Amino acid sequence: EVQLVESGGGLVQPGGSLRLSCVASGFPFSSYSMNWVRQAPGKGLEWLSYISSSSSSRYYADSVRGRFTISRDNAKNSLYLQMDSLRDEDTAVYYCAKEGSASYLHHWGQGTLVTVSS
Amino acid sequence: DIVMTQSPDSLAVSLGERATINCKSSQSVLYSSNNKDYLAWYQQKPGQPPKLLIYWASTRESGVPDRFSGSGSGTDFTLTISSLQAEDVAVYYCQQYYSTLYTFGQGTKLEIK
């Protein structure tokens, strides 16, 4: 069974940093591309970032490019999101998502809440 | 970026009746080399993460009831629930994966009338 477990969320002040983690199990992690998606309270889904299986390709939404960095450690079956220069509008539940055989988002974690507030 | 626009924003349908949700992309998501539409549908129930329902615009994910179907091509797509059940109350999202920058529709909230 595929499992994705996010952690690292919490309360952070504007301008601060946070690092999210997503630990994967139940599938060959090193063979799949991964993504981060967020959902602000009461709002819709916003795709944030993609990383290929080998980390050779990384893409970002305009809203986070230059502030967020996606990475992975295939030896640890882990995906990361380094979030810097956080803003109030970054408050959201952050999900990691595994791609399927193509680029649809096949499996999702339960999410971790990030609150940016002074 | 490819903009995905869903309609309606909300929908109330009686149990057993058909529900139809539309999704329009600002440019075609049909990849000519393989004739596949890079369009997926997700269901999100309150307090839960999204769940993949449909990919390649019309391929039902394993385990998804056959009352859910996807159709359309190019820029116009539809998710149809043929006979609404109480457990189908959720927000539904379309998403394009044609571009390297994925985008979602704004979501359609489906309720029971």
Side-chain angles (χ1 to χ4, degrees):
Chain A
E1 180 194 2
V2 171
Q3 286 202 333
L4 300 168
V5 180
E6 302 94 337
S7 62
L11 176 63
V12 60
Q13 291 189 336
S17 298
L18 213 54
R19 188 195 197 205
L20 305 184
S21 299
C22 170
V23 176
S25 60
F27 67 99
F29 180 74
S30 61
S31 298
Y32 287 88
S33 300
M34 299 291 294
N35 293 261
W36 287 99
V37 177
R38 72 182 177 186
Q39 186 169 36
K43 302 297 184 182
L45 301 171
E46 180 186 14
W47 172 82
L48 297 180
S49 186
Y50 159 97
I51 187 167
S52 62
S53 57
S54 64
S55 303
S56 59
S57 296
R58 309 181 198 208
Y59 305 116
Y60 299 92
D62 291 346
S63 59
V64 302
R65 188 177 297 116
R67 299 190 299 124
F68 290 10
T69 303
I70 192 170
S71 63
R72 65 191 294 163
D73 185 335
N74 287 342
K76 294 183 178 180
N77 286 354
S78 294
L79 174 72
Y80 306 102
L81 187 67
Q82 176 67 40
M83 304 187 296
D84 298 319
S85 303
L86 283 162
R87 307 166 179 167
D88 290 351
E89 56 265 34
D90 294 320
T91 294
V93 173
Y94 285 71
Y95 297 102
C96 67
K98 165 191 169 290
E99 293 197 355
S101 57
S103 302
Y104 49 87
L105 303 179
H106 201 182
H107 295 95
W108 298 64
Q110 289 296 314
T112 186
L113 176 62
V114 172
T115 303
V116 184
S117 175
S118 54
Chain B
D1 295 5
I2 299 177
V3 176
M4 308 300 290
T5 303
Q6 292 181 225
S7 62
D9 290 334
S10 63
L11 181 62
V13 175
S14 301
L15 289 172
E17 296 299 306
R18 178 185 300 259
T20 301
I21 299 171
N22 300 301
C23 174
K24 188 175 184 67
S25 58
S26 61
Q27 66 184 74
S28 177
V29 298
L30 174 63
Y31 197 41
S32 56
S33 66
N34 59 8
N35 201 37
K36 287 182 179 290
D37 288 284
Y38 284 55
L39 188 285
W41 289 96
Y42 302 87
Q43 175 193 64
Q44 187 179 32
K45 297 181 179 180
Q48 296 185 18
K51 172 190 172 183
L52 177 68
L53 293 177
I54 302 278
Y55 56 97
W56 297 134
S58 61
T59 301
R60 199 179 304 115
E61 166 66 345
S62 175
V64 173
D66 61 7
R67 63 180 180 273
F68 290 90
S69 63
S71 62
S73 185
T75 61
D76 293 279
F77 302 91
T78 300
L79 175 70
T80 301
I81 307 172
S82 60
S83 177
L84 189 70
Q85 305 299 303
E87 60 265 32
D88 300 335
V89 168
V91 179
Y92 292 84
Y93 296 91
C94 61
Q95 177 234 342
Q96 65 79 19
Y97 47 100
Y98 179 91
S99 163
T100 53
L101 306 184
Y102 305 155
T103 46
F104 289 92
Q106 79 275 18
T108 295
K109 186 175 184 179
L110 178 58
E111 300 173 313
I112 304 295
K113 184 187 291 183

